[in-house]
Amino acid sequence: METFFETLAQHRGGYILRADLLDRGVSDRQIKDAIHQGLIVRLRAGTYAPRGHRDLSPEERHRLLAFAVQDKLPSGIVLSHHSAAVVHTGASFGVDLSTVHVTRRGHRTARTEANVVHHGGLLPDEDIVEVDGHLLVAPARAALETAAVAGVEAGLVQTSLVLGGGVSEEELHDRLDRMARWPGVSKVRLAVVWASPQCESVGEARSLYMFRMGGLPVPRMQVEYFDADGTSIGRVDFAWEDFWHLGEFDGLSKYGRLNPYTGANLGQLVVDEKRREDRLRELGLGMSRWTWADLAHPAATCRRIEAAMRQSRRLYGQAVRTVIA
């Protein structure tokens, strides 16, 4: 039975409609039993996915939900706002992933029904792209729309990631100019100004936001350090060179599901990180680390980092080090 559901889902790109099951002789009672047994997962009314859906990231689940919603709407309706942004970047912060956003071209009114937000407005052809057979607003527009409805931090995450993905600053600013009369444009403008293409993760982008709001100097990013022989010691997320201090955000990419080691060798990763940090300190540099939990308390985290920065400047102010961006 499990193989049956998986095969059926493949035909629609990962999900199953109630009509698909009824057409194949599966009753509503059997559908309920399959849900209870964990063979399928309910995405929304009349839409399901195989049990493997549970292993997807929240963003992957939202992508599937968004495509399923769009496929049941009239043709020409475009995924937009964070629903498009999640498809483009594979990441999110500060948005409701249970809600899908779409834009109806030419409509001027907006409405929300069954966890689907229908936006209206002009949507020129150049603002629309196709991904896996689905129409979405372009990456830059999706990032800016996310900032408009979800705020600066959520927008900073998306604008940084699309910049890192190849969108130019000129395109972002050009689109921002066209949004001059949009509600919430001040939040969008701040997200664009603060964004950096050097952010490689949600955690790094949120760290930038934390520094800005906490009054810390804006550091250089992705800075690589070398020893006296020219051998690379390692690259760090953030470097406050005037303070002889480094910063590292420790998220899932190092210690979670993206860990390059097997589960049995997680300790090896910790040992390697400690060795790298020790070699950087030997250059006369201090280091601060923070995690997702620390980002939830930005004021306290900024105070801790600032105190460490000042200590590093006192201790290492005359140190000589070799660095290359």
Side-chain angles (χ1 to χ4, degrees), residues 39 47 53 71 82 93 164 167 171 200 209 222 260 300 308 313 317:
L39 296 176
T47 307
H53 178 268
D71 286 344
H82 74 251
F93 169 76
V167 170
E171 180 182 354
E200 296 181 344
Y209 177 81
Q222 315 307 339
R313 188 157 63 177

Side-chain angles (χ1 to χ4, degrees), residues 69-95:
V69 165
Q70 187 181 32
D71 286 344
K72 295 179 73 173
L73 294 173
S75 62
I77 292 181
V78 181
L79 290 177
S80 60
H81 297 74
H82 74 251
S83 292
V86 164
V87 174
H88 289 309
T89 67
S92 71
F93 169 76
V95 296

Side-chain angles (χ1 to χ4, degrees), residues 233 244-246 274-289 308 311-312 315-316 319:
I233 296 174
W244 288 265
H245 198 73
L246 310 176
K274 180 62 169 62
R275 183 179 296 118
R276 183 177 72 103
E277 181 175 333
D278 288 343
R279 293 192 66 197
L280 288 167
R281 290 183 183 278
E282 288 170 1
L283 294 179
L285 296 162
M287 179 176 287
S288 292
R289 292 183 178 274
Q311 181 181 51
S312 292
L315 293 175
Y316 309 122

Side-chain angles (χ1 to χ4, degrees), residues 196-201 204-205 219-225 234-239 247-248 254 323-325:
S196 170
Q198 293 179 305
C199 290
E200 296 181 344
S201 69
E204 290 179 13
R220 292 181 66 203
M221 297 186 65
Q222 315 307 339
V223 182
E224 189 169 5
Y225 286 84
R235 189 179 61 160
V236 297
D237 298 335
F238 305 100
E248 289 272 271
K254 291 175 184 172
V323 57
I324 192 168

